[in-house]
Amino acid sequence: MFITFEGIDGCGKTTQIELLRDYLLKKGKNVLITKEPGGSDFGVGIERIFKDLRFKISSMCELLLMYADRVYHIENVILPNLEQGVFVISDRFQDSTVAYQGYGGKIPLDIVLDMAIKSGITLKPHITFLLDLPVEVSFKRLTEGDRIEVKERDFFERVRNGYLKIANQEPERVYLIRGNRDRHEIHREIVRIVEEKMKDEV
């Protein structure tokens, strides 16, 4: 099963990914945690570029880097593990590109989506958890200063609204989770959804 976690920076994805991994391991499942960018040796290099503020990277340049990383990530990490029956949990995937470079960076969505098609990206997660959080709460949680996190508040508002539109368009895949709650309460909701999906897959 391929599960992705999405949301604006500081929404609590890392915590929930770790809790879900621990739960699945206790259930006897094989689990791989990965992320974008940085989920492969190739992606680590791209992640460094994103975090290096010396580089003045436009939204279009970000988009191209993200798709290069995603193609490699799918071919060399995600698909090989899925084929072995591993639960692959990724911190960000295609929805992040639509939300951040599309809605946030104002690249026309037809360009963002067409580039995915031309890159041969057809893989979709079985489940996507969108941890929704008000932007003001996100800002209070942020501690790092990479390229994405130093963008203006309006950018994050656009990203959040973009995520909400994605969730509205694909409710059968994207589960909207209120992120401003106790982490264990959120985890229980996520586990319930995963268990229901596992039953459907049988």
Side-chain angles (χ1 to χ4, degrees):
M1 183 176 289
F2 182 31
I3 301 172
T4 57
F5 280 77
E6 298 283 358
I8 60 175
D9 298 294
C11 68
K13 290 184 286 81
T14 300
T15 296
Q16 293 305 320
I17 287 172
E18 291 174 351
L19 288 172
L20 180 58
R21 174 200 59 200
D22 293 346
Y23 173 81
L24 291 172
L25 288 173
K26 288 179 181 177
K27 298 282 286 187
K29 307 297 183 182
N30 293 320
V31 183
L32 172 72
I33 304 300
T34 187
K35 65 177 183 174
E36 289 192 354
S40 65
D41 291 343
F42 178 80
V44 167
I46 290 180
E47 185 179 32
R48 288 200 189 100
I49 293 174
F50 268 89
K51 290 190 174 186
D52 193 331
L53 299 179
R54 294 175 302 170
F55 300 121
K56 298 184 183 300
I57 301 177
S58 67
S59 293
M60 181 58 72
C61 188
E62 289 179 354
L63 181 68
L64 293 168
L65 288 169
M66 289 306 303
Y67 276 129
D69 174 60
R70 184 158 303 126
V71 170
Y72 189 94
H73 192 208
I74 290 172
E75 293 177 348
N76 295 278
V77 178
I78 298 175
L79 285 181
N81 279 279
L82 288 177
E83 289 168 358
Q84 295 297 318
V86 175
F87 276 70
V88 177
I89 303 176
S90 183
D91 183 344
R92 301 199 182 283
F93 193 62
Q94 174 67 14
D95 295 319
S96 281
T97 302
V98 175
Y100 275 83
Q101 281 73 47
Y103 287 102
K106 298 182 179 181
I107 297 176
L109 292 184
D110 57 342
I111 292 177
V112 176
L113 298 174
D114 185 58
M115 192 172 295
I117 294 172
K118 289 180 177 177
S119 299
I121 297 172
T122 59
L123 179 65
K124 279 205 170 189
H126 295 94
I127 306 173
T128 295
F129 292 110
L130 171 55
L131 301 181
D132 182 48
L133 196 69
V135 172
E136 61 267 22
V137 178
S138 166
F139 275 25
K140 290 178 182 178
R141 292 183 178 182
L142 295 178
T143 57
E144 296 180 7
D146 65 36
R147 177 183 312 282
I148 295 299
E149 292 169 345
V150 298
K151 290 182 181 294
E152 73 282 1
R153 182 189 178 110
D154 287 347
F155 171 85
F156 282 97
E157 293 287 0
R158 293 194 302 272
V159 171
R160 184 193 181 198
N161 290 332
Y163 269 130
L164 293 175
K165 289 178 181 178
I166 293 170
N168 186 59
Q169 292 165 354
E170 297 189 64
E172 73 287 348
R173 173 178 68 86
V174 183
Y175 291 84
L176 185 62
I177 307 291
R178 290 189 298 109
N180 199 10
R181 293 181 291 158
D182 177 77
R183 62 179 182 173
H184 297 294
E185 180 183 350
I186 295 172
H187 173 62
R188 287 192 293 270
E189 182 177 355
I190 288 172
V191 165
R192 177 183 57 78
I193 293 168
V194 171
E195 289 287 356
E196 289 177 355
K197 194 73 171 181
M198 287 168 62
K199 291 177 183 176
D200 292 341
E201 294 288 317
V202 175

